[in-house]
Amino acid sequence: MIQLNQVVETRIATALGVRDIIKQALPLAERDRALEPEDSLVDLGVGSLALLTLVLDLEEQFGLPPSALKQLTSRSTIGTLIRVCEQADAARMAEAALAREVA
Amino acid sequence: MNGASRLEELAFLNLMAMLRRQAEFSREGELCESDDAVMAFGGTSFPAAPFNVATRKRRVGSKASRWLDLTAEQFRQRRRRFSIYAHDALDRDLQQECLARGYLPSGNLTTMVLTRAPQRREPVPAVEVVGDRAGVERFARIAAESFVSVGLPPAVTRSALSAPEQLLRSDVRLVTCNEQAAALSIVHAETAGIYWVGTVPAARGRGLARNCALALAEHAFSAGARCVVVQAGQGLESFYATLGFQRLSELRLYTNLDALAHPERRLQ
């Protein structure tokens, strides 16, 4: 069984991790601003190169599958990015739990 | 062909010339060119233009789906993801094909043109023309520091500018200003294209990149260029407009993020 507190901790860590990666992609002048779930990457001034770096970082850090990557665009909001990464986390945790039970 | 169409054609030819040169600017760069495609494979796996990118040469005649199949296969063989340059108006079929395949719409570039030398009231500020390998290394250092703040990993920039002998060719001109800003131009078919314009974050707002772009434009016209072109990234259209550049058209970028069986390690 996946423990409830483990799920909560993972979700918090994911949200913070995603926000960290997004902050790095923002123009220098915007990096101190508070990020709201409804803010989109394009509205935050994330440019073409920064968008790619951000997507690759999310893929590397959260193991996003290609199907998840294909949901992302420059119009994606912070909330969407966090949700996509949480889904990837949840899928990984479920897989790990299943593997433990089988073992 | 009317004046605007001719300028558009010259800008596009210069973009392709830049892709060929950019592949050579990297020690591990490679170019693959066919009747209807230019594909650049940089010394890095970063899937952005102009490092790993393809563009259609003839905008009519090659079917978008087949063109993209062949292009994707070339990159797949090299274990690379890549971006596509698609002309806003002329490559609509290619844009639709990219979207249908789930490519990431990763940005727009505005093609802008200058058809006469900029008029200036003030004397030319100190802009240094790079003429040796040490200068190229300084140029690459400035570029790496400038572009990291827009999301380009410094290792990608260093790899992209790692062949000094190619950056010192006669059709390429590199300039720096105060060792804090840099830009280069590539001359092809009566046209100079200005690329890699950047200022280190600590020196922004002092007009240094502007000086570099102006110096390159002035030199191009004095050397007989018919026009000077830039591909302005997000938010930079107004910067180039203040130098006299006018908007010609738009290029859309689409990035392939397909899973790779054995992807190359990412440069950090």
Side-chain angles (χ1 to χ4, degrees):
Chain A
M1 290 284 285
I2 301 169
Q3 297 296 314
L4 184 60
N5 59 353
Q6 189 191 349
V7 172
V8 173
E9 279 170 17
T10 304
R11 288 189 69 175
I12 292 170
T14 299
L16 292 174
V18 173
R19 281 168 182 270
D20 261 1
I21 289 175
I22 292 168
K23 289 230 171 196
Q24 293 306 309
L26 298 184
L28 288 176
E30 302 288 329
R31 287 191 187 167
D32 289 333
R33 68 176 284 168
L35 297 177
E36 302 298 336
E38 62 276 15
D39 289 337
S40 74
L41 296 174
V42 69
D43 293 340
L44 290 167
V46 174
S48 176
L49 295 168
L51 174 66
L52 288 180
T53 298
L54 182 150
V55 168
L56 296 175
D57 284 347
L58 291 178
E59 180 189 32
E60 199 167 274
Q61 193 157 326
F62 298 99
L64 296 188
S67 57
L69 293 177
K70 287 179 180 179
Q71 294 175 37
L72 305 180
T73 72
S74 61
R75 303 210 170 274
S76 297
T77 62
I78 308 295
T80 304
L81 294 179
I82 292 173
R83 197 170 58 248
V84 165
C85 292
E86 280 176 350
Q87 284 166 356
D89 267 342
R92 258 200 330 273
M93 285 168 70
E95 219 169 89
L98 186 64
R100 274 196 306 273
E101 280 183 20
V102 169
Chain B
M1 192 181 274
N2 65 31
S5 298
R6 178 64 184 149
L7 290 174
E8 172 95 18
E9 187 64 19
L10 289 173
F12 187 67
L13 290 173
N14 195 277
L15 179 74
M16 287 194 290
M18 183 274 286
L19 293 183
R20 295 185 191 103
R21 286 283 170 271
Q22 183 59 60
E24 293 168 343
F25 291 164
S26 172
R27 286 205 183 286
E28 301 85 23
E30 184 193 346
L31 189 81
C32 183
E33 193 157 352
S34 66
D35 286 348
D36 63 355
V38 176
M39 286 172 259
F41 310 95
T44 158
S45 62
F46 195 65
F51 315 110
N52 288 292
V53 65
T55 189
R56 223 169 9 170
K57 262 180 166 176
R58 293 178 187 162
R59 292 167 183 153
V60 287
S62 54
K63 199 174 166 213
S65 59
R66 174 150 175 77
W67 184 89
L68 206 47
D69 282 343
L70 295 172
T71 298
E73 177 58 19
Q74 289 292 327
F75 282 92
R76 195 193 59 77
Q77 284 174 11
R78 290 164 177 82
R79 293 182 291 147
R80 295 284 177 89
R81 290 162 160 178
F82 59 96
S83 290
I84 296 287
Y85 281 128
H87 189 282
D88 185 36
L90 303 174
D91 285 325
R92 291 242 164 94
D93 55 341
L94 185 56
Q95 293 175 51
Q96 284 168 2
E97 193 64 32
C98 288
L99 290 172
R101 294 183 188 207
Y103 286 21
L104 174 71
S106 49
N108 293 349
L109 295 171
T110 305
T111 302
M112 300 180 77
V113 65
L114 187 65
T115 51
R116 63 183 63 170
Q119 301 295 311
R120 287 203 293 181
R121 295 185 212 108
E122 292 151 20
V124 180
V127 170
E128 187 188 341
V129 179
V130 172
D132 57 21
R133 296 172 76 96
V136 172
E137 280 167 25
R138 277 198 303 279
F139 180 96
R141 211 166 41 239
I142 295 167
E145 199 180 331
S146 304
F147 280 82
V148 70
S149 67
V150 292
L152 190 62
V156 174
T157 305
R158 284 196 295 273
S159 164
L161 301 171
S162 58
E165 65 284 1
Q166 296 297 334
L167 285 148
L168 291 169
R169 293 171 61 124
S170 59
D171 59 341
V172 181
R173 188 175 179 86
L174 278 66
V175 295
T176 60
C177 189
N178 285 3
E179 304 217 350
Q180 292 170 307
L184 66 78
S185 66
I186 294 170
V187 176
H188 177 81
E190 311 173 275
T191 310
I194 298 180
Y195 304 95
W196 283 103
V197 182
T199 306
V200 301
R204 287 188 185 152
R206 299 181 205 160
L208 305 184
R210 181 186 173 86
N211 291 345
C212 291
L214 279 172
L216 289 172
E218 283 177 356
H219 177 265
F221 283 112
S222 69
R226 178 172 164 183
C227 62
V228 175
V229 295
V230 293
Q231 306 293 339
Q234 186 182 330
L236 291 173
E237 198 172 335
S238 56
F239 165 76
Y240 287 108
T242 64
L243 304 181
F245 283 84
Q246 293 185 318
R247 187 183 184 286
L248 264 184
S249 57
E250 199 89 9
L251 277 177
R252 294 185 186 273
L253 292 160
Y254 294 89
T255 302
N256 163 293
L257 292 171
D258 287 350
L260 297 168
H262 301 287
E264 281 193 329
R265 193 175 61 83
R266 260 180 81 194
L267 279 175
Q268 291 300 324

